[in-house]
Amino acid sequence: MIDSVEERYRQLEAVILDSYPGADMGRIRAAFEYARDAHSTQKRKDGSAFVTHPLAAAEIVAEIGLDEDSLCAALLHDCIEDTPVTHEDIEKHFGKDVAEIVEGVTKLTRVVYTSKEEEQMENLRKMLIAMAKDIRVILIKIADRLHNMRTMEYQSEEKQREKALETMEVYAPIAHRLGMQKIKWELEDLSIKYLDPIGCEEIAEGLRMRHVEDENFFNRVQDRITERLNEHGIECTVYGRIKHLYSIYRKMYSQNKVLSEVLDLYAFRIIVNDISDCYNVLGYIHDMYRPIPGCFNDYIGTPKPNMYQSLHTNVIGGEGIPFEVQIRTWAMHQTAEYGIAAHWKYKEGKDGKVADEEKFAWVRRLLESQQDGDTQDFFHALKVDMFADEVFVFTPSGDVVNLPAGSTPIDFAYNIHSEVGNRMTGALVNGRMVQYSHILNNGDIVRILTSNSAKGPSRDWLEIVRSPEARNKVRQWFKKEKKEENIIHGKMSFDAELRHANISAADLAREEIMPKLLARLSFKTTDELYAAIGYGGLSAQKLVNKIREDIRAAAKTRKKEEEPPKEEKKPEKRVKPIHGVVVEGVDNCLVKFARCCLPIPGDPIVGFITRGYGVSVHRQDCLNSKSDRQPDETDRWVQVSWADVSDQNYATTIVVVLRDRTGIVVDVASVLNALNVKITSFNARDAGEGLVTVTVEVEVKNRDGLVAAMARLMSISGVTDVRRGEG
């Protein structure tokens, strides 16, 4: 058996040297020997030495490219849980980071799954990530679960179904969330075999029967694609596969189909060297095979939230068989296979420089990380921060309760039930008595002590609780149970705020403030008002501030009534606006807008009386409106102004200067359409030196609309200038 263990270790060593050549193999060997000695008396269900499990988990961790501390932690991950070894022992021999990772994996292992409702599962998934202060804890736990599922045949049927359901509902979704598609698919395939062995065997048998036919199809398509791409000088790797078992199972049973009715069984993957090749390959594929309308997705231009990138297209082959084609670069392929782990394994570019960090914006949102230093330093600072505003705790029966961060046992009690909170006399957190103000942490097990003779909540609880639900339930209790006490407490608070605001009882009586206030709040008596303040339904401070405003308003009204009446001025005759413009002293005048400057509401304007055409409206900064240029016509200039309200649109022009490229017309038009700006004329011309001038005549309601449109146009890639046209 020792030889078998040694052989497994040498296999692990080979994988590590291939994926992480800089690892300290002496330290990793020491971790292996420490784990082997700690588990020396333990066996697995198949009779093999227990240490073969940590070895297998470490091999998975090595394959996904984690660092040296992760490899050591994977080898030691069961020591605290299953042996006398302590956190301090591991820290002494292998350092603080390794010890904390092992402790984190141990905590996740101890989580009890008792409820399978969808909401509970989502809370568990969130809680697992929130509990893991270091993302490596989750990754090692997934590797641990993957190996356990690979060897599940040695467990009892009941254990197989329990672990398979747990894997399907908790660990596979987490792997998906972290972008680890390869591991997610294997977890799902292994789980469904135990959850529905008969259904899976039917699919497997159907695939076996058509194996030769499928192989021939794959070879024909693969050879044809490879030959075509090589002709055009594109280096590529092409291979086909049957979609994974659970994907087929889900389609068959959700759509009530047999295997022969599942059309998209086949998928081909084409891996190339750079992004431009991806789009070139897409063109060749669509030239070779007929694309299926509506079945194309560009996840390169718009990556999925978990960093996944590829071009997806569905086509129909010469035999009339539909299949999917995925086109990606090698870097995208590693991200698709290993998700978040690929960020560190492949973050070094071919030239040794750190790869473009813009590709990993999702990672930065997920993690609080510092990217200075080597991989070890990077992992050292790596923290999970997905659910910083939530805390996940357990009931004694194992159900997960989701609360706002900073919640206390009082919030927990009222989350369970109003009566639990009202009859609460104490709280135990992880078996230890705590104060009501104790802040709950992720993974805490909370037990509320209650008594039928409890006095009920205290007013201080309103300052302690964090969740709005708990605060409202405390207020409701005081409203219902302590009316007399609320009246006394509310009157004291109200009187104290009146004194603070220097408002006397005489002020309230003189202005008849209280009757108006009671009517406004729908209270019949002042006692009802005091009770509302007492149980927390009203704020005495806000109420008194409102009273002070009412007193000031009443004083102003009284002062106006005491002033002598002013002589009423006859209303000035309002000139009716024409096209939104008012011409001073002239009514029903023909108005037109000068083409030389095309004014719009918001522009300072001036009018010029034309012979036979009414008043021509110019912008004040228009060259044609300068009176010193036409001294003999000074008396023909009149004052004009914009009407207060106008719902019509006005024509004006925008000139955009930008670097010449494909799609500029579409970009400019798209921006204006998005702003609901009507385009009446569009002209583009070559301005020389690689520039293009686009002149657009548009209709806007006012200057603000024009400024907004010009600002958005300035944000278009390649734009060097945006200005208003002269007409």
Side-chain angles (χ1 to χ4, degrees):
M1 188 62 67
I2 293 295
D3 291 340
S4 174
V5 170
E6 282 295 329
E7 185 179 335
R8 286 175 179 268
Y9 175 75
R10 286 194 294 273
Q11 182 177 325
L12 167 64
E13 200 172 50
V15 175
I16 294 172
L17 291 173
D18 180 58
S19 64
Y20 191 42
D24 181 351
M25 296 309 300
R27 185 170 178 239
I28 292 171
R29 174 77 193 189
F32 157 65
E33 291 178 351
Y34 194 92
R36 182 191 61 192
D37 295 343
H39 295 294
S40 59
T41 61
Q42 298 171 332
K43 301 287 184 184
R44 303 201 80 214
K45 292 284 186 180
D46 62 356
S48 62
F50 187 89
V51 76
T52 58
H53 167 64
L55 277 168
E59 187 172 332
I60 296 169
V61 167
E63 287 171 352
I64 62 178
L66 299 193
D67 65 337
E68 188 181 301
D69 281 347
S70 303
L71 293 164
C72 292
L75 288 165
L76 301 165
H77 78 268
D78 277 326
C79 286
I80 295 178
E81 177 72 14
D82 297 329
T83 77
V85 172
T86 64
H87 180 284
E88 291 73 19
D89 295 333
I90 294 178
E91 183 175 349
K92 178 181 176 182
H93 289 89
F94 301 99
K96 182 179 179 181
D97 280 0
V98 174
E100 288 186 350
I101 295 171
V102 174
E103 179 69 29
V105 176
T106 302
K107 284 181 178 178
L108 297 191
T109 303
R110 290 171 179 163
V111 173
V112 178
Y113 305 91
T114 60
S115 175
K116 303 303 179 187
E117 286 82 3
E118 187 172 337
E119 183 179 353
Q120 280 289 301
M121 284 301 103
E122 179 59 20
N123 280 343
L124 279 168
R125 289 192 285 268
K126 288 182 180 180
M127 188 215 64
L128 289 180
I129 297 178
M131 280 179 67
K133 294 180 181 178
D134 189 322
I135 194 66
R136 289 173 291 183
V137 172
I138 292 290
L139 299 177
I140 292 171
K141 184 60 187 174
I142 288 173
D144 168 58
R145 176 51 58 101
L146 178 56
H147 181 250
N148 280 333
M149 290 305 299
R150 286 174 177 174
T151 55
M152 194 55 64
E153 69 267 23
Y154 299 103
Q155 298 288 347
S156 66
E157 187 174 331
E158 181 182 356
K159 192 77 168 179
Q160 288 173 346
R161 289 186 58 81
E162 177 189 337
K163 292 298 181 185
L165 185 60
E166 197 176 280
T167 300
M168 188 71 83
E169 293 186 324
V170 179
Y171 290 99
I174 290 177
H176 174 69
R177 205 172 266 185
L178 299 179
M180 307 170 74
Q181 295 306 315
K182 184 178 180 182
I183 289 178
K184 176 221 177 194
W185 289 340
E186 187 175 355
L187 288 172
E188 288 176 338
D189 287 354
L190 291 168
S191 299
I192 200 64
K193 286 179 182 177
Y194 296 109
L195 294 173
D196 187 358
I198 296 175
C200 288
E201 182 53 36
E202 287 180 0
I203 296 172
E205 179 62 26
L207 294 175
R208 280 194 292 270
M209 291 176 63
R210 53 193 289 173
H211 175 70
V212 175
E213 178 186 340
D214 290 340
E215 282 296 314
N216 291 335
F217 175 74
F218 281 133
N219 291 335
R220 287 195 304 273
V221 174
Q222 182 175 321
D223 291 345
R224 187 182 175 196
I225 293 175
T226 304
E227 182 180 351
R228 178 69 175 272
L229 297 183
N230 287 341
E231 286 176 3
H232 290 85
I234 296 177
E235 294 182 17
C236 62
T237 297
V238 182
Y239 62 91
R241 61 177 176 83
I242 296 283
K243 291 204 169 182
H244 71 106
L245 178 66
Y246 180 63
S247 176
I248 300 172
Y249 177 92
R250 193 175 55 206
K251 284 205 168 173
M252 286 177 59
Y253 290 95
S254 66
Q255 300 175 14
N256 195 26
K257 293 181 176 180
V258 296
L259 185 61
S260 60
E261 294 175 319
V262 179
L263 297 180
D264 55 345
L265 277 177
Y266 306 107
F268 287 84
R269 191 165 290 154
I270 304 173
I271 308 174
V272 294
N273 293 328
D274 54 55
I275 293 177
S276 61
D277 282 344
C278 291
Y279 290 96
N280 288 334
V281 168
L282 177 67
Y284 294 131
I285 294 298
H286 283 179
D287 183 48
M288 297 166 64
Y289 303 102
R290 182 157 55 89
I292 300 174
C295 294
F296 168 70
N297 288 293
D298 183 354
Y299 295 120
I300 294 178
T302 309
K304 290 185 178 183
N306 61 7
M307 301 187 301
Y308 177 86
Q309 288 183 288
S310 273
L311 297 178
H312 287 199
T313 186
N314 286 65
V315 297
I316 297 179
E319 301 91 337
I321 300 174
F323 58 89
E324 182 184 50
V325 180
Q326 299 173 359
I327 309 165
R328 61 180 65 149
T329 65
W330 283 105
M332 294 174 193
H333 179 63
Q334 300 301 338
T335 299
E337 296 285 289
Y338 298 112
I340 196 170
H343 175 49
W344 308 294
K345 184 174 182 180
Y346 298 93
K347 74 171 184 171
E348 294 285 325
K350 290 182 179 179
D351 56 357
K353 296 179 181 177
V354 175
D356 181 12
E357 290 302 316
E358 287 304 313
K359 297 176 184 176
F360 304 104
W362 177 81
V363 177
R364 290 200 300 277
R365 288 196 299 271
L366 174 67
L367 310 173
E368 291 176 358
S369 56
Q370 299 297 325
Q371 289 269 15
D372 46 358
D374 60 15
T375 306
Q376 289 292 120
D377 295 331
F378 173 71
F379 272 124
H380 181 75
L382 202 58
K383 306 292 179 186
V384 173
D385 190 25
M386 283 184 74
F387 308 105
D389 56 346
E390 298 174 88
V391 64
F392 303 89
V393 296
F394 287 112
T395 66
S397 61
D399 288 337
V400 177
V401 175
N402 183 356
L403 297 169
S407 289
T408 66
I410 302 173
D411 294 284
F412 178 88
Y414 279 105
N415 183 278
I416 301 301
H417 196 278
S418 299
E419 284 304 305
V420 175
N422 293 339
R423 294 189 286 113
M424 178 179 177
T425 58
L428 296 171
V429 175
N430 300 325
R432 182 173 61 88
M433 185 70 75
V434 298
Q435 295 181 347
Y436 286 165
S437 58
H438 175 81
I439 303 299
L440 300 177
N441 296 309
N442 284 309
D444 283 346
I445 301 173
V446 185
R447 182 183 184 88
I448 302 299
L449 306 178
T450 60
S451 171
N452 289 330
S453 59
K455 296 180 180 179
S458 163
R459 295 186 188 279
D460 296 338
W461 290 12
L462 292 170
E463 305 299 323
I464 296 173
V465 295
R466 184 64 182 268
S467 62
E469 293 81 5
R471 186 174 288 107
N472 288 336
K473 288 176 180 178
V474 172
R475 286 173 177 166
Q476 290 300 318
W477 187 87
F478 277 107
K479 181 179 180 180
K480 181 180 178 181
E481 303 290 339
K482 298 284 185 178
K483 186 173 181 180
E484 294 301 323
E485 182 182 327
N486 289 339
I487 292 172
I488 296 170
H489 183 78
K491 188 175 188 308
M492 290 173 60
S493 298
F494 184 67
D495 289 345
E497 289 295 335
L498 287 175
R499 287 193 299 272
H500 182 70
N502 292 321
I503 298 174
S504 66
D507 292 329
L508 296 181
R510 185 179 62 181
E511 307 294 353
E512 293 189 346
I513 295 296
M514 284 304 288
K516 295 178 182 177
L517 185 65
L518 294 175
R520 186 189 307 150
L521 297 173
S522 300
F523 291 130
K524 295 180 180 178
T525 65
T526 53
D527 280 354
E528 290 183 9
L529 174 69
Y530 296 149
I533 297 172
Y535 73 74
L538 283 175
S539 165
Q541 183 182 21
K542 291 181 180 179
L543 209 58
V544 170
N545 287 340
K546 180 60 180 170
I547 289 172
R548 182 162 48 191
E549 291 174 6
D550 290 347
I551 291 175
R552 288 173 180 170
K556 286 182 180 180
T557 302
R558 193 168 57 250
K559 184 178 179 182
K560 284 183 179 181
E561 290 173 351
E562 294 171 355
E563 291 178 353
K566 294 181 180 180
E567 292 184 10
E568 291 187 7
K569 291 184 178 180
K570 293 183 179 180
E572 296 181 0
K573 180 183 177 182
R574 292 189 59 83
V575 178
K576 184 179 179 182
I578 305 296
H579 300 313
V581 173
V582 176
V583 182
E584 183 179 319
V586 182
D587 203 356
N588 294 326
C589 175
L590 181 65
V591 170
K592 69 173 184 176
F593 297 100
R595 292 292 302 176
C596 55
C597 56
L598 290 175
I600 59 176
D603 289 334
I605 53 176
V606 65
F608 182 76
I609 301 174
T610 62
R611 292 183 175 91
Y613 293 100
V615 174
S616 176
V617 179
H618 295 256
R619 299 204 316 250
Q620 285 185 5
D621 60 356
C622 176
L623 293 177
N624 292 331
S625 70
K626 303 298 183 182
S627 59
D628 57 352
R629 290 176 178 265
Q630 301 165 321
D632 57 330
E633 296 180 339
T634 303
D635 57 341
R636 294 172 63 184
W637 292 96
V638 295
Q639 289 190 358
V640 293
S641 60
W642 297 105
D644 293 338
V645 179
S646 175
D647 59 354
Q648 73 179 76
N649 290 329
Y650 296 84
T652 189
T653 56
I654 303 173
V655 178
V656 185
V657 181
L658 69 170
R659 300 193 183 282
D660 192 8
R661 61 175 173 81
T662 303
I664 54 174
V665 173
V666 174
D667 288 351
V668 171
S670 296
V671 166
L672 295 175
N673 285 334
L675 293 171
N676 291 322
V677 174
K678 183 179 178 182
I679 301 172
T680 58
S681 173
F682 198 105
N683 179 52
R685 61 180 178 82
D686 188 354
E689 299 182 356
L691 297 176
V692 172
T693 299
V694 176
T695 304
V696 193
E697 185 168 312
V698 298
E699 290 187 359
V700 295
K701 289 196 177 299
N702 50 43
R703 187 183 179 89
D704 290 342
L706 177 65
V707 170
M710 293 171 68
R712 286 288 294 275
L713 289 170
M714 196 66 203
S715 68
I716 295 175
S717 174
V719 170
T720 61
D721 184 34
V722 178
R723 63 180 183 270
R724 189 166 174 183
E726 295 302 325

